[in-house]
Amino acid sequence: MSDRLVVVGAGAVGSAVAWAAARERLAAEVVLVDPDPGSGASRVAGGMLAPISEAWPGEREVLELGAASLERWPGFAAAVASDADLPVGLRREGTLQVAVDSADVADLDRVAEHLRAWGRPVERLTGRELRHREPALGPGVRAGLAVPDDLAVDNRVLLDALGAACRARGVVVDRRRVDRVVDDGVRVTGVAVDGSQVLEADRVVVAAGAWSGALHPVLDGRVRPVKGEILRVRARRSSLPPPSRTVRASVSGRPVYAVPRDGGRLVVGATQYEAGFDPDVLVGGVRDLIGDVERVLPGVADYALDESAASFRPGTDDNLPVLGAVGPSGLFAATGHGRNGMLLVAVTVDALTAALRGDPLPGAASAAAADRSTVAPG
Ligand code: GLY
């Protein structure tokens, strides 16, 4: 058998790992297997690269991993853009995290306090100061935090760039469905595809997002689908202009975000609940997203509604991803990224290239090692 690396799943994570493995010549042949590349959670993502505004007290390792990935993002983006000869859609305007009622303001203060205690200060702003920076914010916004170092990426632009970067590095795309990873009890021998055939492989990276658990018994139960619904809206000629920064808010305890895209468009997200692999966008989800985003950005009522979509985040019990060697020799995981797939793609690339070389996972990624014992946060 030749030195073949198979990566299962052509979302942002799988495509990036396949690209990096080919670029670093970690195998003679890299095959990326997916019946419909770029159609899963990566296509529906908001694209916030925002470890600090996603951080929550008690999740220090998640924050540290996200911060490590954010640091790597500009270099990762430049390398992908150079190989692809395409833009990757990176935005640098930062995030405003805002609150509209007193309970949400209290939460905001708690988050700011924890971040200060972790040495990651953020700027506290009044409603008036926020509206000065971002006139699209409505009069109901009472307070907020500015996080200028957060980035954002247009997920679909990134997926196109990763596809082109993979092609430029000779990654072979195989559009069959992987049913499971095959091993001989000691080491991986390939993947079973389309019911009966086997694609032989020396090493396999499972990067199939919420579907990863079904691909090998060692991943069974490690990852579960966490449904999210989003909307894509667009400012019309007559509309108030959209914000230039990512706006995140808590409205009556429900998180909502609006992430700018070029052309006056916004991605508004996201619901979060567990419903297995139910693919439907529910009316109640759309109602909540519209109601909540209007409390924060009232001008959105006049925007065009271009799209609603649902997908499945790969959730884990401790909210850390599952990275690196696991189970039989030659099996690797790059999954379980939860709400943070886009953010963590850069650190995942470094973690998986280290693992494929046989090295330990670097720095903050060691907390996400696939062979850790997981305990849900208390
Ligand atoms: N990272 C945003 C979300 O999962 O909705």
Side-chain angles (χ1 to χ4, degrees), residues 48 54 257 270 313 339-340:
M48 290 171 293
E54 281 273 26
Y257 54 76
R313 308 171 182 91
R339 295 182 61 93
N340 290 311

Side-chain angles (χ1 to χ4, degrees), residues 267-347:
V267 176
V268 175
T271 59
Q272 176 166 319
Y273 56 100
E274 304 209 11
F277 284 103
D278 168 16
D280 289 332
V281 176
L282 299 191
V283 172
V286 173
R287 176 202 59 212
D288 286 349
L289 289 173
I290 291 175
D292 292 348
V293 78
E294 269 196 273
R295 294 274 303 276
V296 182
L297 300 167
V300 163
D302 181 55
Y303 286 24
L305 176 56
D306 284 340
E307 184 183 329
S308 62
S311 196
F312 307 101
R313 308 171 182 91
T316 62
D317 286 348
D318 58 5
N319 292 332
L320 282 163
V322 180
L323 304 180
V326 64
S329 174
L331 178 61
F332 299 83
T335 187
H337 294 80
R339 295 182 61 93
N340 290 311
M342 288 289 149
L343 170 64
L344 296 181
V345 90
V347 79

Side-chain angles (χ1 to χ4, degrees), residues 33 174 176-180 191-199:
V33 193
D174 182 328
R176 289 180 289 179
R177 187 193 71 246
V178 173
D179 299 318
R180 62 191 168 84
V191 291
V193 284
D194 278 356
S196 57
Q197 305 161 51
V198 173
L199 172 64

Side-chain angles (χ1 to χ4, degrees), residues 119-345:
R120 297 182 182 277
V122 288
E123 193 184 356
R124 176 79 153 76
L125 299 169
T126 64
R128 186 190 294 263
E129 289 166 335
L130 287 161
R131 278 182 288 281
H132 183 68
R133 289 188 192 194
E134 209 52 90
L137 292 170
V141 171
R142 293 170 54 157
L145 306 174
V147 191
D149 294 339
D150 278 358
L151 303 173
V153 68
D154 184 324
N155 52 323
R156 295 181 184 177
V157 173
L158 175 68
L159 286 169
D160 287 347
L162 283 170
C166 281
R167 285 192 292 281
R169 290 288 174 180
V171 173
V172 175
V173 177
D174 182 328
R175 297 182 72 126
R176 289 180 289 179
R177 187 193 71 246
V178 173
D179 299 318
R180 62 191 168 84
V181 179
V182 183
D183 68 77
D184 63 10
V186 178
R187 57 174 305 115
V188 153
T189 55
V191 291
V193 284
D194 278 356
S196 57
Q197 305 161 51
V198 173
L199 172 64
E200 293 187 348
D202 304 87
R203 288 171 293 171
V204 173
V205 176
V206 174
W211 291 268
S212 299
L215 294 180
H216 193 280
V218 292
L219 295 173
D220 189 20
R222 296 288 298 272
V223 181
R224 63 181 190 283
V226 180
K227 185 173 173 179
E229 292 148 319
I230 58 114
L231 307 175
R232 288 180 159 244
V233 300
R234 174 176 38 88
R236 302 183 307 145
R237 208 190 298 269
S238 57
S239 310
L240 285 175
S244 58
R245 300 163 177 82
T246 295
V247 175
R248 301 176 54 97
S250 178
V251 179
S252 309
R254 260 197 313 262
V256 64
Y257 54 76
V259 192
R261 298 285 192 261
D262 289 348
R265 294 171 300 139
L266 288 174
V267 176
V268 175
T271 59
Q272 176 166 319
Y273 56 100
E274 304 209 11
F277 284 103
D278 168 16
D280 289 332
V281 176
L282 299 191
V283 172
V286 173
R287 176 202 59 212
D288 286 349
L289 289 173
I290 291 175
D292 292 348
V293 78
E294 269 196 273
R295 294 274 303 276
V296 182
L297 300 167
V300 163
D302 181 55
Y303 286 24
L305 176 56
D306 284 340
E307 184 183 329
S308 62
S311 196
F312 307 101
R313 308 171 182 91
T316 62
D317 286 348
D318 58 5
N319 292 332
L320 282 163
V322 180
L323 304 180
V326 64
S329 174
L331 178 61
F332 299 83
T335 187
H337 294 80
R339 295 182 61 93
N340 290 311
M342 288 289 149
L343 170 64
L344 296 181
V345 90

